[in-house]
Amino acid sequence: INNLNLANMPVQGNYRTNVYGSLLTTQNQFNVTIEPNFGTPSYEVTFKPKSASELSEALTSPTNAEIQIDQNLDASTLAPEDFNLTGAKKIVIAEDATLTMPASAYFTTSQDLTIQGGTITNDGATTRAGESEPADDGSKGIFRIYGGDFTLDGVTIVNDMDYHYHGSKFNSAAIAYWNDANITIINSTIKSGEFTLCGMGRGVASGVITLKDSYFESTSSSAHNGKNWSYALRLFGTSGTMDNCTVKGTQGGLSTDSQIKLTINSGLYYTVNSPGKQDAFYPLYITDGSEVTINGGYFYGAMKRTGLNIEGNSCVVSGDNDVNLPSGTAIINGGYFNGKAYNEAGLIVLPTGYKYEACEEVKDGMTFTWKVVKE
């Protein structure tokens, strides 16, 4: 037996190591010893895919990995199972690069997932080709997050803005999340034909939601097909904060649900009518026992949706979600509005020491006629 020491040989579980040279042609025998603690510690691998097949290998690798995408990458030919992530991943996309997803696929994970930079989309002619259909249940989206910490940092997400459909089990959403998933979105833009960010599993979600310096836009309206519509965001979870975000929707901007306690410190929340329609809903709708504390921000509704004397349009509304859920609670400590907040019983009472004050504050072409100030 010829004992050989092969220094620095790059061997790792679930990867192939190629050995060349006289080691393979020698007439001597040699032994291979597997150390009992092989695989400890776990080594991270960096992938730099240049093609759809290389991206598939990186995504399905069981190793904790960073994936770096430095050029446009069309992955629309991959299968949905290629995007089922079994381990924590970090995907870094160059600022000017775009990753194109299949219409039928979602990044699906219960592990930590971080996306930094670039654009991810399933929009455009590629994903509407005859051979590229939405998911089996009819929905279309980009992420399904079942747990772990999900982070978007400086990312643009476009979930086909001309696709308006809810599936039988899943809502069409750029990002749908369940269970104890924590959602952090910073300095990002998310656009969608239905939900941009959607909590799923009412009464189950228990994560923390952090949204900052980001833009959310949905074109959803029942005017498209007579039956499907959604808010731009539907937030489930234990707690959340929104700082300096813009939310633009048609049949709803932001909806809080499933007992979440959300604090809005700043930002712009508004709805617009579809061209030629009067179909806009509320910039902020609070339901199912959720609680929203408004410390600041701008809230503009395109329509008045009540017979109450709210002295303007419907901006901040608490209700039962039309299915007899418990109403929500609004604690308004500040902000600008173009109508007073209300629920089924009438105007929402402001906290002690605060009052509405008439104003004519203009922001982004919208006029806000009320502000909440300390008495």
Side-chain angles (χ1 to χ4, degrees):
I1 296 176
N2 185 21
N3 293 316
L4 297 174
N5 281 325
L6 304 176
N8 300 319
M9 179 177 283
V11 179
Q12 183 171 337
N14 296 306
Y15 287 84
R16 182 173 55 201
T17 297
N18 294 317
V19 180
Y20 303 93
S22 61
L23 178 63
L24 299 182
T25 59
T26 179
Q27 297 300 309
N28 297 320
Q29 292 182 323
F30 60 91
N31 287 341
V32 175
T33 301
I34 306 297
E35 296 291 343
N37 61 346
F38 179 75
T40 304
S42 176
Y43 293 98
E44 294 190 359
V45 175
T46 299
F47 293 89
K48 297 183 178 181
K50 304 296 184 184
S51 65
S53 60
E54 290 179 357
L55 177 64
S56 174
E57 178 184 355
L59 294 173
T60 56
S61 165
T63 305
N64 293 346
E66 178 173 313
I67 301 170
Q68 298 176 0
I69 299 174
D70 58 9
Q71 62 185 29
N72 291 341
L73 202 163
D74 184 355
S76 61
T77 58
L78 295 181
E81 52 267 28
D82 289 315
F83 295 88
N84 293 337
L85 309 182
T86 58
K89 301 290 182 186
K90 180 179 181 181
I91 302 175
V92 180
I93 306 174
E95 183 178 352
D96 59 349
T98 297
L99 170 62
T100 302
M101 297 278 291
S104 59
Y106 292 77
F107 284 100
T108 302
T109 186
S110 59
Q111 308 295 317
D112 294 350
L113 175 60
T114 297
I115 314 290
Q116 290 183 345
T119 298
I120 302 177
T121 183
N122 58 19
D123 202 5
T126 299
T127 61
R128 296 203 194 103
E131 67 274 10
S132 186
E133 298 296 331
D136 289 341
D137 66 350
S139 69
K140 192 172 185 180
I142 294 179
F143 296 97
R144 288 178 179 168
I145 309 300
Y146 289 94
D149 294 334
F150 175 73
T151 302
L152 292 180
D153 186 357
V155 185
T156 296
I157 303 293
V158 181
N159 181 40
D160 197 339
M161 296 188 75
D162 295 323
Y163 190 78
H164 309 285
Y165 181 76
H166 288 186
S168 58
K169 296 181 180 179
F170 300 99
N171 292 327
S172 291
I175 305 163
Y177 67 94
W178 287 256
N179 306 323
D180 59 351
N182 298 311
I183 308 296
T184 300
I185 299 175
I186 303 171
N187 194 32
S188 294
T189 295
I190 306 176
K191 298 180 179 182
S192 179
E194 294 292 319
F195 291 101
T196 60
L197 175 63
C198 181
M200 297 291 291
R202 182 170 282 111
V204 174
S206 60
V208 175
I209 313 302
T210 304
L211 310 178
K212 184 176 181 181
D213 298 329
S214 294
Y215 178 86
F216 303 86
E217 179 181 351
S218 170
T219 57
S220 177
S221 170
S222 57
H224 296 303
N225 57 22
K227 59 181 180 179
N228 296 125
W229 60 272
S230 64
Y231 279 77
L233 292 90
R234 185 176 77 178
L235 300 186
F236 288 6
T238 300
S239 63
T241 57
M242 296 188 69
D243 293 283
N244 194 35
C245 290
T246 296
V247 178
K248 177 184 179 182
T250 298
Q251 289 193 322
L254 165 64
S255 174
T256 61
D257 204 320
S258 196
Q259 293 85 50
I260 190 172
K261 291 188 176 183
L262 177 71
T263 299
I264 298 175
N265 293 314
S266 56
L268 174 62
Y269 308 80
Y270 68 105
T271 55
V272 297
N273 289 310
S274 298
K277 305 288 184 180
Q278 291 187 325
D279 55 347
F281 287 175
Y282 320 115
L284 172 58
Y285 187 72
I286 310 167
T287 190
D288 195 20
S290 60
E291 178 182 289
V292 178
T293 299
I294 301 174
N295 294 323
Y298 294 80
F299 301 82
Y300 185 94
M303 298 289 297
K304 182 181 180 184
R305 291 287 182 182
T306 179
L308 296 170
N309 180 21
I310 59 172
E311 301 184 75
N313 286 350
S314 300
C315 288
V316 176
V317 180
S318 171
D320 66 359
N321 207 29
D322 299 328
V323 289
N324 298 316
L325 292 173
S327 294
T329 301
I331 303 171
I332 306 175
N333 301 321
Y336 292 84
F337 311 84
N338 75 328
K340 294 182 177 179
Y342 65 92
N343 55 28
E344 296 97 328
L347 294 180
I348 291 175
V349 178
L350 297 180
T352 301
Y354 290 85
K355 66 176 183 179
Y356 284 107
E357 185 177 281
C359 66
E360 288 191 13
E361 181 79 10
V362 178
K363 182 175 177 63
D364 290 3
M366 293 170 277
T367 300
F368 299 84
T369 52
W370 297 102
K371 62 181 178 179
V372 172
V373 298
K374 288 185 177 181
E375 292 182 322

